[in-house]
Amino acid sequence: MELKSKLASAHTTIFTEVSALASRHGAVNLGQGFPDFDPPDTLLSLVAKHTKGHTHQYAPMAGLTSLREAIANKVGTLYGYGPDPEAEVTITAGATQALFTAITALVHPGDEVIIFEPAYDSYRPSIELSGGKAIPYRMEPPGFEIDWRRVAALVTNRTRMLIINTPHNPTGTILRAGDIEQLLLLVRNTDILILSDEVYEHLVYDGENHQSVIRYPELYSRSLAVFSFGKTYHATGWKLGYVIAPSWLTTEYRKVHQWNVFSVNSVFQYALAEYMEDKDHYLSLCDFYKTKKDLFRSLLDGTGFRPLGCHGTFFQVCDYCDISDKQDTDFARELIVRHKVAAIPMSVFYSQPTDMKLVRFCFAKKEETLQHAGDRLRSVS
Ligand code: PMP
Ligand code: GLN
């Protein structure tokens, strides 16, 4: 039988590939972005408590009311606008599902969606499965800044959506107020929607603020903002997150969400709702990761890896041109197989061939893991 693939050029994600290779070769895995430590004990106790309750049947389609209320309170405190939990907050099976569902709900065949490369790998296939076309804006090292006039040049009468991601995976850059102002000017008087991937909202360093689209009423009125409990509570395996959008967009979002997942894991929603009553849990996250970032960067001192700026996320991009002139995919493979440290090659986040001699390390790891990786990286030459 002949099968016409809906994603003919797709292959297994780089994160799966690198993690499998790392485990086969006993490498310290600084590739795929996940912590090697557990969620806080209090949260785990709440999960245990709610597992014993009558919490095991379907949650409401949009998510548990108490959790949506807790999220609305948090958002109001952080970004100055408290969304209506009933009409503007939806609990999702992680950010990946939220992004996929939002794109499926809003992108029509032939629509163009502007993405910023290097781009998180789920955006493009999600767009293509909806019959849309991803239009990449290419960001360049070392700063990966965005020239908004060049973005404007990519806009056509088919542009339906623009996907932003701040703090940005994989580069560790952030959008600042000036970027948001220019973005606003770009989309004003157009029908362009914004899908804003904000899963690293709490990981912004050096006293800067996270520029959520929710802070900007005019921008928010055409935006969907996506978040992940996985990043905030060291629980990537729970696959829980949420999307916040004005009611007219939430209505469209939920039309698809209900056929996509209907509702998501109930027990963990009860636990998270109770846990979120204490806001210190997320406010301390930035300092927690800043310590890890500083440690990892100091460990790179004695190596041939040159770290680029890291203003947000738990990723550190490094230039390895003093060590090797190999293509990054080959270099990353050799790093795993010979030196037993896993990193993600940067070129996989671009749609066009690139050879920037950059790799991405994840520093969401225990101190001893980072020390161990540092020891091995010092021997790479
Ligand atoms: N967006 C970005 C930028 C990410 O880095 C990730 C994952 N790590 C996701 C979305 C997906 O998050 P989740 O695991 O909640 O699906
Ligand atoms: N977001 C994580 C990363 O960038 C991985 C998520 C995944 O494996 N799907 O490493």
Side-chain angles (χ1 to χ4, degrees):
M1 190 170 79
E2 226 173 83
L3 182 71
K4 190 166 170 230
S5 173
K6 294 189 82 172
L7 278 179
S9 60
H11 41 77
T12 309
T13 82
I14 186 71
F15 307 116
T16 303
E17 265 181 27
V18 166
S19 283
L21 198 63
S23 116
R24 213 174 315 138
H25 290 274
V28 183
N29 191 354
L30 305 191
Q32 191 178 22
F34 64 89
D36 69 346
F37 40 86
D38 289 324
D41 285 344
T42 329
L43 178 54
L44 294 180
S45 303
L46 286 169
V47 172
K49 174 179 125 182
H50 287 291
T51 301
K52 296 201 180 74
H54 300 291
T55 55
H56 298 280
Q57 310 313 323
Y58 291 126
M61 187 268 274
L64 211 65
T65 304
S66 55
L67 181 56
R68 284 187 281 145
E69 284 169 355
I71 290 167
N73 283 336
K74 166 182 165 175
V75 168
T77 308
L78 290 178
Y79 305 129
Y81 171 75
D84 175 355
E86 205 43 57
E88 299 179 75
V89 183
T90 309
I91 312 300
T92 67
T96 311
Q97 183 248 312
L99 292 161
F100 185 83
T101 303
I103 291 166
T104 307
L106 299 163
V107 172
H108 293 261
D111 283 351
E112 293 177 357
V113 179
I114 296 177
I115 61 172
F116 294 86
E117 289 186 348
Y120 185 60
D121 64 347
S122 84
Y123 304 157
R124 178 179 285 271
S126 305
I127 294 162
E128 289 175 355
L129 281 172
S130 279
K133 186 169 180 212
I135 307 291
Y137 173 94
R138 190 180 163 97
M139 302 189 292
E140 302 285 347
F144 300 99
E145 297 88 358
I146 298 173
D147 175 346
W148 291 95
R149 283 166 314 181
R150 279 183 49 221
V151 181
L154 299 177
V155 172
T156 71
N157 57 7
R158 309 226 64 148
T159 309
R160 173 90 278 239
M161 180 183 273
L162 209 144
I163 303 182
I164 57 171
N165 171 214
T166 184
H168 185 261
N169 178 11
T171 65
T173 56
I174 55 172
L175 294 181
R176 300 197 163 82
D179 292 296
I180 303 290
E181 274 160 33
Q182 294 189 68
L183 170 62
L184 192 47
L185 290 177
L186 183 71
V187 296
R188 186 175 280 158
N189 303 322
T190 71
D191 291 332
I192 303 173
L193 301 171
I194 307 292
L195 182 55
S196 183
D197 181 342
E198 304 185 18
V199 300
Y200 301 103
E201 64 177 324
H202 299 301
L203 308 187
V204 177
Y205 306 116
D206 310 319
E208 298 204 67
N209 284 325
H210 171 55
Q211 296 299 325
S212 174
V213 289
I214 302 169
R215 284 182 193 274
Y216 299 86
E218 188 186 338
L219 199 56
Y220 175 64
S221 70
R222 58 169 78 225
S223 299
L224 301 98
V226 170
F227 301 87
S228 171
F229 286 113
K231 314 291 165 191
T232 304
Y233 297 128
H234 319 318
T236 58
W238 291 7
K239 295 303 300 184
L240 280 170
Y242 51 97
V243 56
I244 300 190
S247 63
W248 70 285
L249 288 174
T250 293
T251 301
E252 291 306 311
Y253 175 89
R254 288 183 188 164
K255 282 182 190 170
V256 177
H257 179 90
Q258 66 184 341
W259 306 128
N260 186 190
V261 283
F262 177 61
S263 67
V264 305
N265 188 298
S266 56
V267 177
F268 287 81
Q269 289 193 57
Y270 282 96
L272 284 164
E274 201 172 328
Y275 189 67
M276 282 183 73
E277 286 167 15
D278 182 352
K279 68 176 188 301
D280 282 350
H281 291 141
Y282 55 84
L283 292 182
S284 57
L285 205 63
C286 176
D287 289 343
F288 175 79
Y289 274 115
K290 168 87 166 51
T291 308
K292 294 193 180 295
K293 173 173 91 106
D294 291 346
L295 170 66
F296 186 59
R297 285 173 71 95
S298 73
L299 290 167
L300 291 170
D301 268 353
T303 74
F305 291 90
R306 274 189 283 138
L308 272 50
C310 172
H311 305 282
T313 74
F314 46 47
F315 300 116
Q316 175 64 61
V317 175
C318 288
D319 183 321
Y320 63 82
C321 63
D322 289 346
I323 303 172
S324 166
D325 59 6
K326 286 208 163 91
Q327 165 73 29
D328 62 358
T329 40
D330 295 334
F331 179 75
R333 168 172 277 275
E334 188 177 294
L335 198 58
I336 296 173
V337 175
R338 272 188 56 199
H339 303 286
K340 313 287 181 216
V341 180
I344 305 288
M346 199 69 161
S347 62
V348 302
F349 299 105
Y350 286 93
S351 52
Q352 295 301 316
T354 55
D355 186 14
M356 295 167 168
K357 315 271 183 252
L358 297 175
V359 286
R360 187 202 79 177
F361 293 102
C362 170
F363 57 77
K365 306 291 166 188
K366 293 178 197 146
E367 188 179 327
E368 61 262 35
T369 311
L370 296 175
Q371 296 279 7
H372 196 35
D375 291 343
R376 290 180 178 184
L377 292 178
R378 265 190 297 282
S379 71
V380 183
S381 55

